[in-house]
């Protein structure tokens, strides 16, 4: 078995769509980023690459490269899952924490889990997503940013 951890943080700004785990969430603000800014998929990608032993998202998709401007973060996940399957590693489970003050993610939790399961081509019950507030502390607590931690366990087929 192989374990990987991923973390990411993005600024929350007006005039951007909020995408989390590939799901569009109604929100006054969205995540700033070179790509679609999906902080959860970026952390998941890094967790997968970590478990595979294949570096990090920036080494494959540098944000200095205009090629990745505005692209769907699902492309990053496709690369990470391809690297995993090349090593005959499949996803056992994923656990994630999203840190945000707003919007409240409870009503969208199941949809986000389903979306990630689809992207990774695994059953829904292998994916768990939680949301936490920062109790109004720091930049996340003040609504200036959103962050995500993801842990993934891969198993040799
Ligand atoms: Mg990112």
């Amino acid at each position: 078995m192989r374990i990987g951890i991923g973390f990411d943080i993005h600024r929350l700004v007006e005039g951007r769509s909020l995408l989390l785990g590939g799901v569009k969430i109604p929100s006054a603000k969205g995540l700033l980023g070179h790509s679609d800014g999906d902080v959860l998929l970026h952390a998941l990608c890094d967790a997968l690459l970590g478990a595979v032993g294949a570096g990090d998202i920036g080494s494959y998709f540098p944000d200095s490269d205009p090629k990745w401007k505005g692209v769907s973060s699902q492309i990053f996940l496709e690369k990470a899952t391809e690297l995993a399957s090349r090593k005959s590693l499949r996803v056992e489970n994923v656990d994630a924490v999203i840190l945000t003050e707003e919007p409240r993610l409870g009503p969208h939790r199941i949809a986000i889990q389903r979306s990630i399961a689809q992207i990774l081509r695994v059953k829904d019950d292998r994916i768990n997503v939680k949301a936490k507030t920062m109790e109004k502390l720091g930049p996340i607590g003040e609504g200036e940013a959103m962050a995500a931690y993801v842990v993934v366990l891969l198993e040799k087929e």
Side-chain angles (χ1 to χ4, degrees), residues 96-136:
V97 187
I98 303 167
L99 303 177
T100 186
E101 212 65 25
E102 276 183 7
R104 292 295 165 131
L105 297 176
H108 308 289
R109 211 173 63 84
I110 303 294
I112 293 170
Q113 289 178 172
R114 279 202 189 125
S115 171
I116 290 174
Q118 269 179 10
I119 293 166
L120 298 180
R121 296 187 198 91
V122 298
K123 286 190 174 167
D124 294 0
D125 66 0
R126 292 184 182 268
I127 313 295
N128 193 74
V129 174
K130 304 179 288 288
K132 288 276 176 191
T133 75
M134 289 292 284
E135 301 287 344
K136 305 211 182 295

Side-chain angles (χ1 to χ4, degrees), residues 3 18 43 58 62 97 107 138:
I3 193 165
L18 177 59
V97 187

Side-chain angles (χ1 to χ4, degrees), residues 8-10 35 37-39 42-43 57:
D8 199 19
I9 184 165
H10 280 244
S35 64
D38 193 324
V39 70
H42 294 182
I57 193 169

Side-chain angles (χ1 to χ4, degrees), residues 25-75:
I25 311 283
S27 169
K29 289 179 176 179
L31 293 166
L32 190 63
H34 187 65
S35 64
D36 62 10
D38 193 324
V39 70
L40 181 55
L41 289 190
H42 294 182
L44 174 60
C45 189
D46 262 357
L48 280 165
L49 292 172
V52 172
D56 66 23
I57 193 169
S59 44
Y60 297 94
F61 308 101
D63 62 10
S64 52
D65 189 337
K67 192 160 78 173
W68 310 118
K69 191 169 161 54
V71 297
S72 164
S73 298
Q74 297 193 28
I75 288 170

Side-chain angles (χ1 to χ4, degrees), residues 11-17 27-32:
R11 277 181 195 278
L12 269 171
V13 294
E14 279 167 17
R16 292 268 300 185
S17 297
S27 169
K29 289 179 176 179
L31 293 166
L32 190 63

